Amino acid sequence: MSRRLQFGSSRCFSIRIPAIAPVRWFTVWAGVTTTACLVGLTSFPVSAQTSSNQTSQIPDSSQAQNAPQAQNSSQGGADPTLDIGIVQRFGSESGDEITLQPLTGDRLTMQFETGGQTQTVTASTVKLEITMEPLAEPQVNERVVLSTHRSFESAEDSANQWRSRGVEVEIAQPRQWQVWAKRDVYRSPLLRRLLFQNLQANGSRSAFLDTQVQQQIPKASFVANGYRYQRDEVQITTGNRRVQVTPNRSDSERRLYGGNLQLQPNAYGTYTLVNEVPVETYLRGVVPHEIGVGAPPTTIEAQAILARTYALRNVRRFAIDNYELCADTQCQVYRGLSGAHPETDRAIAATRSQVLTYQNELVDALYSSTTGGITAPFSDVWNGPDRPYLRAVVDSVQNIWDLSRYSLADEANLRTFIGRTEGFNENGWDVFRWRVESPLTQITADLKEYLTGIQHPLANFTTVQQVQVVERSPAGRVQRMAVQTDRGTVELEKDEILRAFYAPNSTLFYIDPVYEASATPARTVQNSTAGQSEGEQNSQPAESRILKGYIFTGGGLGHGVGMSQTGAYNLGDLGWSSAQILSFYYPGTQLQPLSDAITFWRDPAALENSSEANVELVEPVQ
């Protein structure tokens, strides 16, 4: 019997970014003054004007900007507080409500500003509500979207590329990850259009103007003790730092959260309910949902260390919205104290303050459900510099495959590797190996939805004529696919393939075309498979076949970078310690107690970008 997944299977993982970078000179249009002259140079605090390879304290979110800088662990000692967006876009749906309640015997305390003065209200129950406020005149919201991505990691790399070309940017997640031209730099319609025209003139295919006309806007209020208070920002606390949260959305349930809550506006015209929670309390709501309470004890310990490391390294993700991490698989699955369990609590306590480091910096503690038998290097899945400790590791304790002799970039080797099912750490799990047949109608619908979402110029295609794997990495991950349509060829790269097509569970796969015989007789055509790409291999008469779809055959679930959660189950069952498990999946790393000497995050691309000369024309970022 196959073992089914019992954990969150986080797919995308990655503090905040202080304002230290100078405004770069960038000509938006021939004959027009640069944006630095048009909008004025930004002034920065003296203490922030340090070189990009130095460390600094974790900044307050109000200081977070888009310029990368190293950061270290000085906030809150061994148990720093995190800001987690537990309801990210409150007000995006009509009738959104959230009910807040304390535990028995406690009270809720709301603090907010009224006329410049702090006001306090206490109640036993509070309801957060949204009302739609009509506007006297339609309001136009517009931004220049430079690129759109499935994951934060590729968005961050794209942002670095745009910065190196002189464009000030910020990373957003209205629904999917996007890189925006910085709104307070390109703040007028004229500047936005000059920038966009320049991008088009220089060949960019990823940028577009996102323009929305609003007739009404959501306004937040809360009801307490029979009175309604309309406020954009409200701090919610209790005596014992426990709050029950019940959204009225159909996909939500009542959950208990430790720490405090804050209702605040975000960058999309809606609101976010933020949980301010110490990291060790946060882990109680992550570890049981990511690894499962039935995992071996040392496997749970390894997961706790990774979850702690990941959270502290990656709190820069939502700087644009003035919080740090989300509560779903775009960060780590977090469900508050609901579901906290003695087994996972024990592992969290046993590893308290332990983090995984590389050269005294927190590692990019990426992990996924199932690797398919081999972990992926960082750059196999996302754009950006590789991490030395995130490399291809055959997920087996046996000498089952020699990657140096049999590269999985070779199609025949990859098919042989996928055909093997024994000897791996993930044997017996239901997504270790998979086969999905996707009809052409589904492939067409998937691709249309994807291209429409990123406003691709070929989004109005009608038919898919062929799908090919053009390039794969030595670890077997698909790097590029070409989809031939009646309007032209669409190229898909790395994890964007998983956003464009529903069928594959990971990028470790190969494809075979599915044909049905044509009713029209045709001449025989001999096709050799030598030198052909995937999707072309067939020796039947070409004119006697009709393409009906493709079979995707592969292994693993998720990005496959770092620790395999299912593989770690096996290593724990074999008696491996948490340190051994982590060393296996992250070679060359060290376990350390959290301290001020550890750097939380240093942008891997910072030194590369700092050495680049200023430019006068933007080159496209594909």
Side-chain angles (χ1 to χ4, degrees):
M1 282 180 72
S2 66
R3 300 168 71 180
R4 294 198 169 272
L5 304 179
Q6 300 177 18
F7 35 78
S9 305
S10 295
R11 297 191 177 188
C12 299
F13 303 103
S14 303
I15 27 208
R16 295 168 178 166
I17 307 169
I20 63 163
V23 173
R24 301 176 190 268
W25 293 90
F26 159 56
T27 304
V28 295
W29 192 251
V32 179
T33 313
T34 63
T35 56
C37 296
L38 286 168
V39 304
L41 292 171
T42 305
S43 60
F44 304 108
V46 174
S47 61
Q49 298 181 25
T50 59
S51 65
S52 61
N53 62 345
Q54 293 177 319
T55 60
S56 69
Q57 294 186 355
I58 302 174
D60 180 79
S61 58
S62 63
Q63 299 173 325
Q65 300 293 333
N66 64 312
Q69 179 181 344
Q71 302 179 352
N72 66 10
S73 57
S74 58
Q75 184 193 58
D79 197 10
T81 297
L82 303 173
D83 293 341
I84 314 297
I86 57 174
V87 182
Q88 288 183 272
R89 301 169 194 89
F90 181 58
S92 60
E93 299 179 17
S94 178
D96 272 356
E97 291 182 359
I98 302 174
T99 301
L100 307 178
Q101 295 173 304
L103 295 180
T104 303
D106 204 352
R107 301 272 292 175
L108 296 166
T109 299
M110 280 65 61
Q111 286 191 325
F112 50 93
E113 294 292 321
T114 300
Q117 301 295 318
T118 300
Q119 186 173 350
T120 301
V121 172
T122 63
S124 58
T125 300
V126 169
K127 183 172 290 187
L128 305 179
E129 297 181 342
I130 292 291
T131 56
M132 301 307 295
E133 183 177 283
L135 297 172
E137 295 182 358
Q139 176 178 301
V140 177
N141 291 327
E142 185 178 71
R143 55 215 175 205
V144 180
V145 178
L146 300 171
S147 57
T148 306
H149 307 272
R150 180 177 183 265
S151 57
F152 172 83
E153 284 77 9
S154 287
E156 187 170 56
D157 177 72
S158 176
N160 286 335
Q161 292 185 49
W162 286 111
R163 289 189 193 102
S164 73
R165 288 160 173 81
V167 183
E168 296 297 328
V169 300
E170 50 195 350
I171 299 174
Q173 196 208 30
R175 287 295 178 184
Q176 51 196 347
W177 293 103
Q178 294 181 332
V179 179
W180 292 356
K182 206 167 191 309
R183 292 162 298 164
D184 61 359
V185 174
Y186 307 98
R187 61 179 181 265
S188 72
L190 173 62
L191 282 176
R192 289 192 293 269
R193 277 158 178 75
L194 289 176
L195 172 63
F196 182 58
Q197 290 168 3
N198 181 264
L199 299 176
Q200 287 186 312
N202 283 274
S204 173
R205 300 183 66 180
S206 64
F208 62 91
L209 274 174
D210 184 7
T211 304
Q212 300 174 4
V213 180
Q214 289 183 290
Q215 304 287 345
Q216 55 184 5
I217 57 174
K219 297 296 291 184
S221 62
F222 71 91
V223 178
N225 305 319
Y227 292 91
R228 182 184 304 277
Y229 302 83
Q230 191 172 82
R231 297 293 187 276
D232 283 344
E233 296 192 41
V234 183
Q235 177 80 24
I236 302 115
T237 61
T238 63
N240 62 9
R241 294 172 62 82
R242 297 289 187 271
V243 184
Q244 297 179 91
V245 178
T246 312
N248 70 337
R249 295 177 179 176
S250 59
D251 59 347
S252 301
E253 59 186 27
R254 174 181 293 185
R255 290 177 183 154
L256 177 67
Y257 291 93
N260 302 323
L261 300 178
Q262 169 91 10
L263 180 68
Q264 60 190 48
N266 56 36
Y268 322 110
T270 55
Y271 299 85
T272 303
L273 184 63
V274 176
N275 182 201
E276 301 166 353
V277 59
V279 66
E280 298 299 324
T281 305
Y282 162 78
L283 294 178
R284 298 184 64 197
V286 171
V287 178
H289 304 294
E290 279 292 355
I291 199 65
V293 299
T298 56
T299 300
I300 301 177
E301 289 178 6
Q303 178 69 76
I305 293 167
L306 288 177
R308 182 183 296 111
T309 305
Y310 172 81
L312 295 175
R313 178 181 166 90
N314 293 289
V315 293
R316 67 193 184 279
R317 287 188 168 221
F318 294 91
I320 193 174
D321 296 315
N322 199 27
Y323 61 95
E324 296 168 337
L325 292 166
C326 59
D328 59 29
T329 55
Q330 286 293 325
C331 300
Q332 300 184 113
V333 174
Y334 170 59
R335 296 177 181 170
L337 296 176
S338 303
H341 191 276
E343 283 298 314
T344 48
D345 283 350
R346 184 209 60 79
I348 294 165
T351 64
R352 183 178 177 85
S353 297
Q354 289 185 34
V355 290
L356 194 63
T357 65
Y358 181 80
Q359 296 183 348
N360 217 36
E361 178 184 354
L362 297 182
V363 304
D364 214 346
L366 301 159
Y367 56 89
S368 68
S369 160
T370 317
T371 66
I374 183 169
T375 66
F378 182 93
S379 64
D380 277 14
V381 180
W382 303 292
N383 295 325
D386 259 323
R387 282 60 164 158
Y389 48 84
L390 295 176
R391 61 184 77 162
V393 175
V394 177
D395 203 358
S396 171
V397 295
Q398 304 173 24
N399 187 21
I400 196 169
W401 190 272
D402 186 347
L403 198 60
S404 64
R405 294 181 60 193
Y406 303 103
S407 170
L408 299 185
D410 180 83
E411 169 69 12
N413 289 343
L414 185 279
R415 287 175 178 256
T416 300
F417 184 87
I418 294 296
R420 293 192 177 183
T421 59
E422 299 299 325
F424 294 94
N425 289 325
E426 299 169 340
N427 287 359
W429 293 88
D430 55 359
V431 289
F432 172 57
R433 293 286 180 259
W434 45 263
R435 181 182 183 274
V436 180
E437 184 171 338
S438 187
L440 207 59
T441 53
Q442 183 67 58
I443 291 173
T444 300
D446 290 348
L447 186 63
K448 272 186 172 293
E449 182 178 356
Y450 167 73
L451 296 179
T452 300
I454 63 173
Q455 296 199 19
H456 193 281
L458 299 183
N460 61 344
F461 79 93
T462 302
T463 59
V464 169
Q465 299 169 344
Q466 188 180 61
V467 179
Q468 298 172 269
V469 172
V470 178
E471 178 188 353
R472 67 172 69 253
S473 75
R477 304 281 163 174
V478 177
Q479 302 297 282
R480 288 191 300 131
M481 293 189 76
V483 184
Q484 182 64 44
T485 75
D486 58 313
R487 301 279 297 179
T489 301
V490 176
E491 287 202 353
L492 303 171
E493 294 188 356
K494 303 183 181 182
D495 77 325
E496 289 298 304
I497 295 166
L498 302 182
R499 188 153 67 106
F501 294 135
Y502 175 80
N505 291 321
S506 73
T507 55
L508 185 67
F509 66 86
Y510 60 86
I511 61 173
D512 290 306
V514 177
Y515 294 100
E516 75 173 16
S518 171
T520 304
R523 59 186 176 85
T524 299
V525 178
Q526 296 297 328
N527 292 332
S528 172
T529 60
Q532 290 182 316
S533 299
E534 288 180 51
E536 295 181 308
Q537 299 178 19
N538 199 297
S539 60
Q540 297 181 35
E543 296 171 10
S544 68
R545 301 171 293 150
I546 298 175
L547 181 65
K548 300 299 293 182
Y550 286 87
I551 296 171
F552 293 75
T553 304
L557 174 67
H559 51 68
V561 180
M563 187 182 80
S564 161
Q565 292 169 308
T566 55
Y569 264 68
N570 184 59
L571 296 180
D573 285 337
L574 292 175
W576 286 37
S577 68
S578 57
Q580 289 175 310
I581 293 171
L582 294 173
S583 181
F584 177 79
Y585 287 109
Y586 307 89
T589 59
Q590 300 82 40
L591 274 173
Q592 294 189 57
L594 189 63
S595 73
D596 289 344
I598 295 174
T599 299
F600 273 27
W601 172 75
R602 182 182 289 113
D603 183 5
L607 294 178
E608 299 174 15
N609 290 343
S610 65
S611 65
E612 293 184 13
N614 292 331
V615 295
E616 293 189 352
L617 284 177
V618 172
E619 299 174 9
V621 179
Q622 299 300 333

